[in-house]
Protein backbone atom coordinates (compact mmCIF):
# COMPACT_ATOMS: atom_id res chain seq x y z
CA UNK A 1 0.00 0.00 0.00
CA UNK A 2 1.18 3.53 -0.81
CA UNK A 3 1.77 5.69 2.27
CA UNK A 4 0.85 9.04 0.69
CA UNK A 5 -0.62 9.71 -2.75
CA UNK A 6 -0.32 13.31 -3.96
CA UNK A 7 -2.52 14.43 -6.84
CA UNK A 8 -0.94 17.33 -8.74
CA UNK A 9 2.70 17.96 -9.71
CA UNK A 10 2.64 21.73 -9.48
CA UNK A 11 4.95 23.56 -7.06
CA UNK A 12 2.85 22.75 -3.99
CA UNK A 13 2.51 19.04 -4.72
CA UNK A 14 6.20 18.69 -5.55
CA UNK A 15 7.25 20.64 -2.46
CA UNK A 16 5.10 18.39 -0.30
CA UNK A 17 6.61 15.32 -1.96
CA UNK A 18 10.12 16.58 -1.15
CA UNK A 19 9.18 17.29 2.47
CA UNK A 20 7.71 13.82 2.90
CA UNK A 21 10.72 12.15 1.31
CA UNK A 22 13.10 14.06 3.58
CA UNK A 23 11.06 12.76 6.52
CA UNK A 24 11.42 9.15 5.38
CA UNK A 25 8.08 8.73 3.59
CA UNK A 26 8.31 8.22 -0.17
CA UNK A 27 5.06 9.35 -1.79
CA UNK A 28 3.61 8.74 -5.22
CA UNK A 29 2.74 11.90 -7.19
CA UNK A 30 0.11 11.69 -9.92
CA UNK A 31 -0.09 14.41 -12.59
CA UNK A 32 -2.78 14.32 -15.27
CA UNK A 33 -0.60 16.08 -17.87
CA UNK A 34 1.84 13.81 -19.67
CA UNK A 35 4.57 16.48 -19.55
CA UNK A 36 5.09 19.89 -17.95
CA UNK A 37 2.94 22.39 -19.80
CA UNK A 38 5.47 25.23 -19.62
CA UNK A 39 2.52 27.62 -19.46
CA UNK A 40 3.61 30.97 -18.00
CA UNK A 41 2.04 31.51 -14.61
CA UNK A 42 3.71 33.00 -11.56
CA UNK A 43 6.79 35.09 -12.29
CA UNK A 44 8.49 34.74 -8.94
CA UNK A 45 8.21 34.11 -5.24
CA UNK A 46 7.42 36.77 -2.67
CA UNK A 47 7.77 36.64 1.09
CA UNK A 48 9.15 34.30 3.74
CA UNK A 49 8.94 31.35 1.36
CA UNK A 50 12.23 32.58 -0.13
CA UNK A 51 13.91 31.93 3.23
CA UNK A 52 12.24 28.51 3.36
CA UNK A 53 13.72 27.57 -0.02
CA UNK A 54 17.14 28.72 1.22
CA UNK A 55 16.68 26.47 4.26
CA UNK A 56 16.15 23.49 1.95
CA UNK A 57 19.12 24.29 -0.29
CA UNK A 58 16.81 25.21 -3.17
CA UNK A 59 17.57 28.94 -3.31
CA UNK A 60 21.08 28.23 -4.61
CA UNK A 61 19.71 25.81 -7.20
CA UNK A 62 17.24 28.38 -8.48
CA UNK A 63 19.65 31.32 -8.58
CA UNK A 64 22.94 29.58 -9.31
CA UNK A 65 24.47 31.57 -6.46
CA UNK A 66 25.65 30.47 -3.03
CA UNK A 67 24.93 33.77 -1.28
CA UNK A 68 21.88 33.77 1.01
CA UNK A 69 18.81 35.77 -0.02
CA UNK A 70 18.69 39.46 0.86
CA UNK A 71 15.60 41.55 1.63
CA UNK A 72 14.03 43.53 -1.21
CA UNK A 73 14.46 47.31 -0.82
CA UNK A 74 11.11 48.11 -2.44
CA UNK A 75 7.82 46.46 -3.32
CA UNK A 76 4.23 47.40 -4.01
CA UNK A 77 0.91 47.16 -2.17
CA UNK A 78 -2.38 48.00 -3.84
CA UNK A 79 -0.48 49.88 -6.59
CA UNK A 80 1.39 51.95 -3.97
CA UNK A 81 5.19 51.83 -3.98
CA UNK A 82 6.62 50.62 -0.67
CA UNK A 83 10.00 52.00 0.36
CA UNK A 84 11.32 49.23 2.58
CA UNK A 85 14.67 50.93 3.23
CA UNK A 86 12.99 52.95 6.00
CA UNK A 87 12.58 49.77 8.08
CA UNK A 88 15.09 48.81 10.75
CA UNK A 89 14.38 45.15 9.94
CA UNK A 90 13.11 44.48 6.44
CA UNK A 91 11.24 41.13 6.27
CA UNK A 92 10.43 41.18 2.57
CA UNK A 93 12.17 38.81 0.16
CA UNK A 94 11.62 38.35 -3.57
CA UNK A 95 12.97 35.63 -5.87
CA UNK A 96 12.33 36.36 -9.54
CA UNK A 97 12.12 32.95 -11.16
CA UNK A 98 9.28 31.81 -13.43
CA UNK A 99 7.02 29.06 -12.18
CA UNK A 100 8.18 26.65 -14.90
CA UNK A 101 11.75 26.87 -13.58
CA UNK A 102 10.56 26.38 -10.01
CA UNK A 103 8.54 23.31 -10.99
CA UNK A 104 11.48 21.81 -12.90
CA UNK A 105 13.81 22.36 -9.93
CA UNK A 106 11.35 20.85 -7.46
CA UNK A 107 10.66 17.89 -9.76
CA UNK A 108 14.38 17.17 -10.11
CA UNK A 109 14.84 17.37 -6.34
CA UNK A 110 11.85 15.10 -5.74
CA UNK A 111 13.24 12.43 -8.06
CA UNK A 112 16.63 12.71 -6.34
CA UNK A 113 14.89 11.99 -3.05
CA UNK A 114 13.20 8.88 -4.41
CA UNK A 115 9.74 10.27 -5.09
CA UNK A 116 7.69 8.25 -7.59
CA UNK A 117 6.47 10.92 -10.05
CA UNK A 118 3.94 9.59 -12.53
CA UNK A 119 2.76 11.87 -15.32
CA UNK A 120 -0.24 11.25 -17.55
CA UNK A 121 -2.37 9.77 -14.75
CA UNK A 122 -5.76 11.36 -14.10
CA UNK A 123 -7.82 10.66 -10.97
CA UNK A 124 -11.54 10.31 -11.70
CA UNK A 125 -12.93 8.80 -8.50
CA UNK A 126 -12.03 8.10 -4.88
CA UNK A 127 -13.46 6.11 -2.03
CA UNK A 128 -12.45 6.37 1.61
CA UNK A 129 -12.13 3.41 3.92
CA UNK A 130 -11.36 3.55 7.65
CA UNK A 131 -7.74 2.61 6.99
CA UNK A 132 -7.07 3.89 3.45
CA UNK A 133 -8.21 5.81 0.38
CA UNK A 134 -8.79 4.05 -2.94
CA UNK A 135 -8.60 6.08 -6.15
CA UNK A 136 -9.57 5.13 -9.68
CA UNK A 137 -7.68 6.57 -12.64
CA UNK A 138 -9.04 7.42 -16.07
CA UNK A 139 -7.50 4.24 -17.53
CA UNK A 140 -9.27 2.08 -14.94
CA UNK A 141 -6.24 1.54 -12.72
CA UNK A 142 -6.95 1.51 -8.98
CA UNK A 143 -4.47 2.63 -6.34
CA UNK A 144 -4.74 2.40 -2.57
CA UNK A 145 -3.02 4.79 -0.20
CA UNK A 146 -3.05 5.45 3.52
CA UNK A 147 -3.46 9.18 2.82
CA UNK A 148 -4.45 11.23 -0.23
CA UNK A 149 -3.47 14.87 -0.73
CA UNK A 150 -5.14 17.10 -3.30
CA UNK A 151 -2.58 19.53 -4.70
CA UNK A 152 -4.48 19.84 -7.96
CA UNK A 153 -5.30 23.53 -8.01
CA UNK A 154 -8.32 25.76 -7.63
CA UNK A 155 -10.56 23.38 -9.62
CA UNK A 156 -9.41 20.45 -7.51
CA UNK A 157 -10.90 17.12 -8.51
CA UNK A 158 -9.83 15.66 -5.17
CA UNK A 159 -11.72 18.36 -3.27
CA UNK A 160 -14.86 17.75 -5.32
CA UNK A 161 -14.69 13.95 -5.03
CA UNK A 162 -14.14 14.21 -1.26
CA UNK A 163 -17.28 16.33 -0.95
CA UNK A 164 -15.48 19.32 0.55
CA UNK A 165 -17.32 22.59 -0.07
CA UNK A 166 -15.47 25.59 -1.45
CA UNK A 167 -17.40 28.65 -0.21
CA UNK A 168 -16.55 32.18 -1.24
CA UNK A 169 -17.35 34.69 -3.94
CA UNK A 170 -16.93 34.87 -7.70
CA UNK A 171 -17.25 38.09 -9.66
CA UNK A 172 -17.01 39.15 -13.29
CA UNK A 173 -16.44 42.85 -12.63
CA UNK A 174 -12.89 43.08 -13.98
CA UNK A 175 -10.99 42.03 -17.07
CA UNK A 176 -7.25 41.39 -16.92
CA UNK A 177 -5.11 41.06 -20.01
CA UNK A 178 -1.52 39.82 -19.96
CA UNK A 179 1.02 39.17 -22.71
CA UNK A 180 4.71 38.78 -23.33
CA UNK A 181 5.65 41.66 -25.62
CA UNK A 182 8.40 43.65 -27.24
CA UNK A 183 8.33 47.44 -27.44
CA UNK A 184 10.50 49.92 -29.37
CA UNK A 185 13.67 51.05 -27.59
CA UNK A 186 12.27 54.59 -27.62
CA UNK A 187 9.42 53.40 -25.37
CA UNK A 188 11.77 52.29 -22.57
CA UNK A 189 13.21 54.79 -20.10
CA UNK A 190 17.00 54.15 -20.07
CA UNK A 191 17.44 55.10 -16.43
CA UNK A 192 14.63 53.19 -14.73
CA UNK A 193 13.64 50.60 -17.33
CA UNK A 194 10.11 51.95 -17.08
CA UNK A 195 7.66 52.17 -19.96
CA UNK A 196 7.39 55.59 -21.61
CA UNK A 197 3.82 56.63 -22.38
CA UNK A 198 3.43 59.85 -24.44
CA UNK A 199 1.36 62.39 -22.56
CA UNK A 200 1.32 60.25 -19.41
CA UNK A 201 4.92 59.84 -18.30
CA UNK A 202 6.84 56.73 -17.24
CA UNK A 203 5.18 53.57 -15.98
CA UNK A 204 7.68 52.25 -13.40
CA UNK A 205 8.84 48.64 -13.78
CA UNK A 206 7.80 45.76 -11.54
CA UNK A 207 4.92 47.41 -9.78
CA UNK A 208 1.25 48.07 -10.37
CA UNK A 209 0.33 51.56 -11.53
CA UNK A 210 -3.24 52.69 -11.02
CA UNK A 211 -5.09 55.35 -12.97
CA UNK A 212 -8.77 56.32 -12.56
CA UNK A 213 -9.49 54.07 -15.55
CA UNK A 214 -7.58 50.92 -14.67
CA UNK A 215 -4.35 49.25 -13.68
CA UNK A 216 -1.16 48.52 -15.61
CA UNK A 217 1.98 46.56 -14.78
CA UNK A 218 5.21 46.50 -16.79
CA UNK A 219 7.77 43.75 -16.04
CA UNK A 220 10.94 43.86 -18.19
CA UNK A 221 12.56 40.70 -16.85
CA UNK A 222 16.27 40.44 -17.65
CA UNK A 223 17.10 37.58 -19.97
CA UNK A 224 13.50 36.77 -20.86
CA UNK A 225 10.54 38.46 -22.57
CA UNK A 226 8.91 41.43 -20.90
CA UNK A 227 5.36 41.04 -19.60
CA UNK A 228 2.71 43.74 -19.88
CA UNK A 229 -0.67 43.48 -18.19
CA UNK A 230 -3.73 45.63 -17.65
CA UNK A 231 -6.87 45.40 -15.53
CA UNK A 232 -10.07 47.27 -16.33
CA UNK A 233 -13.58 47.46 -14.91
CA UNK A 234 -15.93 47.67 -17.91
CA UNK A 235 -19.43 49.08 -17.57
CA UNK A 236 -20.96 45.83 -18.79
CA UNK A 237 -19.80 42.19 -18.82
CA UNK A 238 -17.95 41.19 -21.98
CA UNK A 239 -17.44 37.87 -23.69
CA UNK A 240 -14.02 36.22 -23.53
CA UNK A 241 -14.75 33.55 -26.11
CA UNK A 242 -12.60 35.12 -28.84
CA UNK A 243 -8.83 34.55 -28.57
CA UNK A 244 -6.73 37.28 -26.99
CA UNK A 245 -4.37 39.25 -29.27
CA UNK A 246 -1.85 42.09 -28.96
CA UNK A 247 -4.17 44.60 -30.61
CA UNK A 248 -6.66 44.03 -27.79
CA UNK A 249 -3.97 44.60 -25.16
CA UNK A 250 -2.73 47.72 -26.96
CA UNK A 251 -6.24 49.15 -26.95
CA UNK A 252 -6.56 48.38 -23.25
CA UNK A 253 -3.24 50.15 -22.51
CA UNK A 254 -4.50 53.17 -24.42
CA UNK A 255 -7.67 53.29 -22.33
CA UNK A 256 -5.85 52.90 -19.01
CA UNK A 257 -3.05 55.40 -19.72
CA UNK A 258 -4.62 57.63 -22.32
CA UNK A 259 -1.53 56.92 -24.45
CA UNK A 260 -0.77 54.59 -27.33
CA UNK A 261 2.26 52.28 -27.07
CA UNK A 262 3.34 50.07 -29.99
CA UNK A 263 3.46 46.41 -28.99
CA UNK A 264 5.15 43.57 -30.81
CA UNK A 265 5.30 39.82 -30.21
CA UNK A 266 8.21 38.23 -28.33
CA UNK A 267 10.90 36.21 -30.04
CA UNK A 268 9.51 32.69 -29.80
CA UNK A 269 6.43 31.39 -27.95
CA UNK A 270 4.68 33.88 -25.73
CA UNK A 271 1.83 34.41 -23.34
CA UNK A 272 -1.54 35.82 -24.38
CA UNK A 273 -4.10 35.62 -21.62
CA UNK A 274 -7.41 37.25 -20.75
CA UNK A 275 -9.10 36.64 -17.40
CA UNK A 276 -12.57 37.83 -16.53
CA UNK A 277 -13.36 38.35 -12.87
CA UNK A 278 -11.88 36.29 -10.11
CA UNK A 279 -12.50 33.93 -7.23
CA UNK A 280 -11.93 34.29 -3.51
CA UNK A 281 -12.61 30.98 -1.77
CA UNK A 282 -11.36 28.88 1.14
CA UNK A 283 -12.22 25.20 1.50
CA UNK A 284 -14.82 24.35 4.11
CA UNK A 285 -12.20 22.07 5.68
CA UNK A 286 -8.61 21.18 4.82
CA UNK A 287 -9.03 17.57 5.89
CA UNK A 288 -11.75 14.98 5.46
CA UNK A 289 -10.68 11.73 7.07
CA UNK A 290 -7.63 10.57 5.13
CA UNK A 291 -7.98 13.20 2.40
CA UNK A 292 -6.17 16.54 2.76
CA UNK A 293 -5.88 19.67 0.61
CA UNK A 294 -2.86 21.88 0.03
CA UNK A 295 -2.23 25.10 -1.90
CA UNK A 296 -4.83 26.33 -4.38
CA UNK A 297 -6.95 23.24 -3.77
CA UNK A 298 -7.56 24.69 -0.29
CA UNK A 299 -7.75 28.40 -1.14
CA UNK A 300 -7.90 30.75 -4.11
CA UNK A 301 -7.61 34.54 -4.15
CA UNK A 302 -6.41 37.45 -6.25
CA UNK A 303 -2.80 37.22 -7.43
CA UNK A 304 -2.11 40.88 -6.60
CA UNK A 305 1.06 41.15 -4.54
CA UNK A 306 2.13 37.62 -5.51
CA UNK A 307 1.09 35.80 -2.30
CA UNK A 308 0.08 32.49 -3.87
CA UNK A 309 3.31 30.52 -3.75
CA UNK A 310 4.27 32.05 -0.39
CA UNK A 311 1.05 30.60 0.99
CA UNK A 312 0.98 27.28 -0.86
CA UNK A 313 4.60 26.21 -0.44
CA UNK A 314 4.47 26.95 3.28
CA UNK A 315 1.25 24.92 3.47
CA UNK A 316 3.31 22.05 2.07
CA UNK A 317 6.13 22.54 4.57
CA UNK A 318 3.66 22.66 7.46
CA UNK A 319 1.79 19.57 6.33
CA UNK A 320 4.80 17.52 5.27
CA UNK A 321 6.41 16.75 8.63
CA UNK A 322 3.05 16.24 10.37
CA UNK A 323 1.79 13.83 7.72
CA UNK A 324 5.11 11.97 7.75
CA UNK A 325 5.02 11.70 11.55
CA UNK A 326 1.49 10.28 11.32
CA UNK A 327 2.45 7.81 8.60
CA UNK A 328 5.52 6.66 10.56
CA UNK A 329 3.55 6.23 13.76
CA UNK A 330 5.19 8.69 16.16
CA UNK A 331 2.87 11.68 15.78
CA UNK A 332 1.23 12.84 19.00
CA UNK A 333 -2.55 12.80 19.05
CA UNK A 334 -4.08 15.66 17.09
CA UNK A 335 -0.84 16.73 15.36
CA UNK A 336 -2.28 16.31 11.86
CA UNK A 337 -5.28 18.45 12.77
CA UNK A 338 -2.96 21.36 13.59
CA UNK A 339 -2.25 21.65 9.87
CA UNK A 340 -5.61 23.36 9.40
CA UNK A 341 -5.67 25.24 12.70
CA UNK A 342 -2.31 26.78 11.86
CA UNK A 343 -2.66 27.36 8.13
CA UNK A 344 -6.32 28.39 7.72
CA UNK A 345 -5.82 31.72 9.58
CA UNK A 346 -2.88 32.46 7.28
CA UNK A 347 -5.08 31.91 4.21
CA UNK A 348 -7.76 34.14 5.72
CA UNK A 349 -5.17 36.87 6.25
CA UNK A 350 -3.96 36.59 2.65
CA UNK A 351 -7.56 36.88 1.45
CA UNK A 352 -8.00 40.00 3.59
CA UNK A 353 -4.84 41.50 2.10
CA UNK A 354 -5.77 40.79 -1.52
CA UNK A 355 -9.32 42.04 -1.04
CA UNK A 356 -8.02 45.26 0.50
CA UNK A 357 -5.66 45.76 -2.42
CA UNK A 358 -8.46 45.05 -4.89
CA UNK A 359 -10.46 47.84 -3.27
CA UNK A 360 -7.52 50.24 -3.41
CA UNK A 361 -6.92 49.74 -7.13
CA UNK A 362 -10.55 50.11 -8.16
CA UNK A 363 -11.85 52.86 -10.45
CA UNK A 364 -13.62 56.06 -9.49
CA UNK A 365 -13.09 59.34 -7.66
CA UNK A 366 -14.02 57.82 -4.29
CA UNK A 367 -11.18 55.34 -4.57
CA UNK A 368 -8.86 58.15 -5.63
CA UNK A 369 -9.72 59.96 -2.40
CA UNK A 370 -9.13 56.81 -0.39
CA UNK A 371 -5.76 56.41 -2.07
CA UNK A 372 -4.73 59.95 -1.16
CA UNK A 373 -5.37 59.15 2.50
CA UNK A 374 -3.60 55.79 2.25
CA UNK A 375 -0.57 57.47 0.64
CA UNK A 376 -0.32 59.71 3.71
CA UNK A 377 -0.43 56.70 6.01
CA UNK A 378 2.35 54.97 4.09
CA UNK A 379 4.68 57.87 4.90
CA UNK A 380 4.66 56.58 8.49
CA UNK A 381 7.42 53.92 8.81
CA UNK A 382 5.38 51.89 11.30
CA UNK A 383 2.57 51.58 8.76
CA UNK A 384 5.01 50.51 6.05
CA UNK A 385 6.45 47.94 8.47
CA UNK A 386 2.99 46.58 9.23
CA UNK A 387 2.18 46.23 5.53
CA UNK A 388 5.57 44.62 4.82
CA UNK A 389 4.99 42.07 7.59
CA UNK A 390 1.56 41.29 6.15
CA UNK A 391 2.84 40.93 2.57
CA UNK A 392 5.83 38.79 3.53
CA UNK A 393 4.01 36.59 6.03
CA UNK A 394 6.49 37.35 8.79
CA UNK A 395 3.55 38.24 11.05
CA UNK A 396 2.38 34.60 11.03
CA UNK A 397 2.23 33.39 14.63
CA UNK A 398 0.97 29.89 15.30
CA UNK A 399 -0.78 29.15 18.62
CA UNK A 400 1.91 28.60 21.25
CA UNK A 401 2.87 29.25 24.87
CA UNK A 402 2.18 32.98 25.38
CA UNK A 403 5.06 33.13 27.86
CA UNK A 404 7.50 32.15 25.10
CA UNK A 405 8.04 35.17 22.79
CA UNK A 406 9.57 33.15 19.93
CA UNK A 407 7.40 30.04 19.98
CA UNK A 408 5.06 29.84 16.98
CA UNK A 409 7.10 32.26 14.90
CA UNK A 410 9.40 31.74 11.94
CA UNK A 411 12.87 30.98 13.26
CA UNK A 412 15.39 33.82 13.05
CA UNK A 413 18.40 33.45 10.74
CA UNK A 414 20.68 32.20 13.48
CA UNK A 415 24.37 31.47 13.00
CA UNK A 416 25.80 28.77 15.26
CA UNK A 417 29.45 29.14 16.26
CA UNK A 418 30.66 25.66 17.19
CA UNK A 419 33.76 23.50 17.01
CA UNK A 420 33.68 23.47 13.20
CA UNK A 421 33.24 27.22 12.71
CA UNK A 422 30.13 29.28 12.00
CA UNK A 423 27.20 27.63 10.28
CA UNK A 424 23.89 29.17 9.24
CA UNK A 425 20.55 27.77 10.33
CA UNK A 426 19.75 27.40 6.61
CA UNK A 427 22.58 24.87 6.33
CA UNK A 428 21.35 22.90 9.34
CA UNK A 429 17.75 22.58 8.21
CA UNK A 430 18.23 21.03 4.77
CA UNK A 431 17.38 17.57 6.07
CA UNK A 432 14.04 18.91 7.38
CA UNK A 433 14.51 17.30 10.80
CA UNK A 434 13.52 18.80 14.15
CA UNK A 435 16.49 20.66 15.54
CA UNK A 436 17.60 21.87 18.96
CA UNK A 437 20.13 24.70 18.95
CA UNK A 438 21.78 24.87 22.37
CA UNK A 439 24.32 27.48 23.45
CA UNK A 440 24.51 26.11 27.02
CA UNK A 441 25.06 22.41 26.51
CA UNK A 442 22.56 21.81 29.29
CA UNK A 443 19.66 20.54 27.19
CA UNK A 444 21.28 17.58 25.44
CA UNK A 445 20.34 15.18 28.23
CA UNK A 446 16.72 16.35 28.15
CA UNK A 447 16.54 15.80 24.38
CA UNK A 448 18.37 12.45 24.37
CA UNK A 449 15.20 10.28 24.46
CA UNK A 450 14.08 11.95 21.20
CA UNK A 451 17.43 11.58 19.40
CA UNK A 452 15.86 9.26 16.80
CA UNK A 453 13.90 12.24 15.46
CA UNK A 454 15.48 15.43 16.89
CA UNK A 455 19.01 16.62 16.09
CA UNK A 456 21.03 18.65 18.61
CA UNK A 457 23.62 21.28 17.66
CA UNK A 458 25.63 23.06 20.35
CA UNK A 459 27.49 26.35 20.04
CA UNK A 460 27.09 30.05 20.59
CA UNK A 461 24.03 31.49 18.88
CA UNK A 462 24.36 34.69 16.85
CA UNK A 463 21.23 36.48 15.67
CA UNK A 464 18.97 35.77 18.62
CA UNK A 465 18.80 36.61 22.30
CA UNK A 466 17.62 33.07 23.08
CA UNK A 467 20.03 30.66 24.74
CA UNK A 468 18.36 27.68 23.05
CA UNK A 469 15.84 27.11 20.25
CA UNK A 470 13.78 24.05 19.37
CA UNK A 471 13.01 24.39 15.65
CA UNK A 472 10.30 22.42 13.88
CA UNK A 473 11.00 20.89 10.44
CA UNK A 474 9.05 23.74 8.79
CA UNK A 475 11.50 26.14 10.49
CA UNK A 476 9.04 27.57 13.00
CA UNK A 477 10.10 27.78 16.63
CA UNK A 478 8.51 25.21 18.95
CA UNK A 479 10.25 26.38 22.14
CA UNK A 480 12.96 28.78 23.31
CA UNK A 481 15.07 29.36 26.41
CA UNK A 482 12.86 27.68 28.98
CA UNK A 483 13.58 25.15 31.69
CA UNK A 484 13.95 21.42 31.21
CA UNK A 485 10.29 20.80 32.03
CA UNK A 486 8.94 23.14 29.34
CA UNK A 487 11.39 21.72 26.79
CA UNK A 488 10.29 18.17 27.58
CA UNK A 489 6.64 19.20 27.25
CA UNK A 490 7.28 20.88 23.88
CA UNK A 491 9.17 17.85 22.57
CA UNK A 492 6.25 15.62 23.53
CA UNK A 493 3.60 17.99 22.15
CA UNK A 494 5.33 18.37 18.77
CA UNK A 495 7.26 15.14 18.27
CA UNK A 496 5.44 12.55 20.34
CA UNK A 497 6.52 10.42 23.25
CA UNK A 498 10.15 9.28 23.33
CA UNK A 499 10.94 5.76 22.24
Amino acid sequence: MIDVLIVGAGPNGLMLACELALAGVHPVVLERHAAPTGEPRANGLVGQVVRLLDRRGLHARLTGESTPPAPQPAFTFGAFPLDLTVLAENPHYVLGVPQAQLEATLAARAVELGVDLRRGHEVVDLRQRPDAVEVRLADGTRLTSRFLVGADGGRSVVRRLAGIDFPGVTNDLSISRTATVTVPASSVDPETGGLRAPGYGVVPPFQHTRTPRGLIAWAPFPGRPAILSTTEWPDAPTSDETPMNLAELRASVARVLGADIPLGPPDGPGLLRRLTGGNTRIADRYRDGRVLLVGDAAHVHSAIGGPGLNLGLQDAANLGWKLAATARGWAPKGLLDTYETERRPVAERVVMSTQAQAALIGPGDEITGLRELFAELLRIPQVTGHIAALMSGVDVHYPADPADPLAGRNAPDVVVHGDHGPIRLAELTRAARPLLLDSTGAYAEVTAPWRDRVDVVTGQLEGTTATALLVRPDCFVAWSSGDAGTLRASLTRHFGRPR
Side-chain angles (χ1 to χ4, degrees):
M1 182 187 296
I2 299 166
D3 280 328
V4 179
L5 191 62
I6 300 171
V7 179
N12 300 318
L14 292 169
M15 183 72 179
L16 176 61
C18 291
E19 295 291 295
L20 288 167
L22 286 168
V25 174
H26 296 283
V28 173
V29 179
L30 302 179
E31 169 56 49
R32 66 185 180 90
H33 294 291
T37 65
E39 178 184 346
R41 292 186 179 178
N43 292 304
L45 298 106
V46 175
Q48 294 295 293
V49 69
V50 178
R51 295 172 68 207
L52 174 64
L53 294 177
D54 181 39
R55 291 168 172 181
R56 292 296 188 261
L58 295 167
H59 183 268
R61 290 190 178 210
L62 289 164
T63 63
E65 301 174 357
S66 59
T67 54
Q72 188 81 358
F75 201 64
T76 181
F77 177 85
F80 287 97
L82 290 178
D83 179 8
L84 303 178
T85 63
V86 303
L87 303 180
E89 294 185 8
N90 180 0
H92 206 60
Y93 293 79
V94 175
L95 179 57
V97 296
Q99 183 167 322
Q101 180 186 348
L102 175 65
E103 287 185 8
T105 300
L106 288 171
R109 178 58 173 154
V111 172
E112 284 177 15
L113 293 170
V115 172
D116 186 353
L117 175 55
R118 306 178 187 178
R119 298 188 184 274
H121 295 270
E122 183 178 2
V123 173
V124 295
D125 196 14
L126 70 83
R127 182 171 63 90
Q128 287 208 60
R129 305 197 310 245
D131 62 340
V133 182
E134 183 181 280
V135 301
R136 179 167 59 85
L137 307 184
D139 64 0
T141 301
R142 295 181 183 273
L143 298 173
T144 303
S145 176
R146 294 175 63 194
F147 293 95
L148 175 68
V149 180
D152 49 344
R155 298 178 179 177
S156 171
V157 171
V158 170
R159 186 186 63 236
R160 177 176 57 81
L161 293 174
I164 299 175
D165 289 338
F166 204 35
V169 296
T170 298
N171 70 74
D172 59 357
L173 302 178
S174 65
I175 296 181
S176 298
R177 299 174 175 90
T178 303
T180 45
V181 300
T182 55
V183 299
S186 59
S187 295
V188 178
D189 181 64
E191 294 185 5
T192 66
L195 189 64
R196 284 176 168 170
Y200 173 83
V202 176
V203 176
F206 301 110
Q207 69 179 58
H208 294 97
T209 297
R210 185 255 184 195
T211 76
R213 298 170 298 278
L215 195 73
I216 186 168
W218 164 245
F221 294 103
R224 53 191 175 108
I227 294 179
L228 183 63
S229 65
T230 63
T231 301
E232 297 180 86
W233 291 264
D235 295 331
T238 60
S239 171
D240 59 0
E241 295 178 358
T242 57
M244 165 84 170
N245 57 50
L246 286 182
E248 180 181 333
L249 177 61
R250 183 173 180 175
S252 177
V253 170
R255 289 190 297 269
V256 171
L257 294 179
D260 184 53
I261 298 176
L263 303 179
D267 296 328
L271 167 67
L272 282 170
R273 183 172 62 205
R274 181 199 304 114
L275 296 175
T276 300
N279 289 293
T280 299
R281 298 180 178 276
I282 299 179
D284 178 64
R285 55 196 183 279
Y286 284 19
R287 178 187 178 190
D288 184 86
R290 293 179 174 270
V291 177
L292 299 106
L293 305 176
V294 71
D296 289 354
H299 41 67
V300 294
H301 47 76
S302 167
I304 189 167
L309 289 173
N310 190 23
L311 182 58
L313 292 176
Q314 292 194 82
D315 282 351
N318 186 288
L319 176 59
W321 69 276
K322 297 172 181 178
L323 187 53
T326 304
R328 296 183 65 188
W330 59 257
K333 183 179 180 181
L335 179 67
L336 194 55
D337 291 328
T338 67
Y339 165 58
E340 178 167 357
T341 59
E342 289 185 347
R343 294 306 295 172
R344 173 179 286 276
V346 184
E348 291 170 346
R349 194 154 176 79
V350 167
V351 165
M352 178 271 287
S353 170
T354 56
Q355 288 179 326
Q357 292 182 76
L360 286 167
I361 65 174
D365 293 339
E366 298 90 347
I367 301 301
T368 300
L370 176 62
R371 291 181 62 83
E372 290 175 359
L373 173 60
F374 207 83
E376 292 180 10
L377 294 174
L378 285 175
R379 297 189 189 107
I380 304 171
Q382 292 90 334
V383 175
T384 297
H386 186 88
I387 296 295
L390 171 65
M391 296 283 284
S392 68
V394 77
D395 61 351
V396 172
H397 189 184
Y398 298 147
D401 181 357
D404 188 336
L406 293 179
R409 297 190 180 278
N410 204 340
D413 287 323
V414 173
V415 176
V416 182
H417 296 269
D419 294 339
H420 301 288
I423 184 167
R424 296 193 302 128
L425 176 66
E427 299 171 86
L428 296 169
T429 54
R430 292 180 181 172
R433 282 175 58 83
L435 181 67
L436 177 72
L437 306 179
D438 182 8
S439 67
T440 69
Y443 296 107
E445 185 177 349
V446 178
T447 313
W450 284 269
R451 280 294 182 88
D452 62 310
R453 68 201 81 148
V454 180
D455 294 335
V456 178
V457 177
T458 58
Q460 294 303 308
L461 305 184
E462 176 190 346
T464 180
T465 57
T467 57
L469 291 171
L470 179 61
V471 182
R472 305 181 343 175
D474 58 355
C475 297
F476 276 73
V477 175
W479 168 93
S480 71
S481 301
D483 58 28
T486 58
L487 173 57
R488 191 176 293 108
S490 185
L491 286 163
T492 303
R493 183 169 62 255
H494 289 92
F495 311 121
R497 295 185 177 276
R499 290 183 176 175

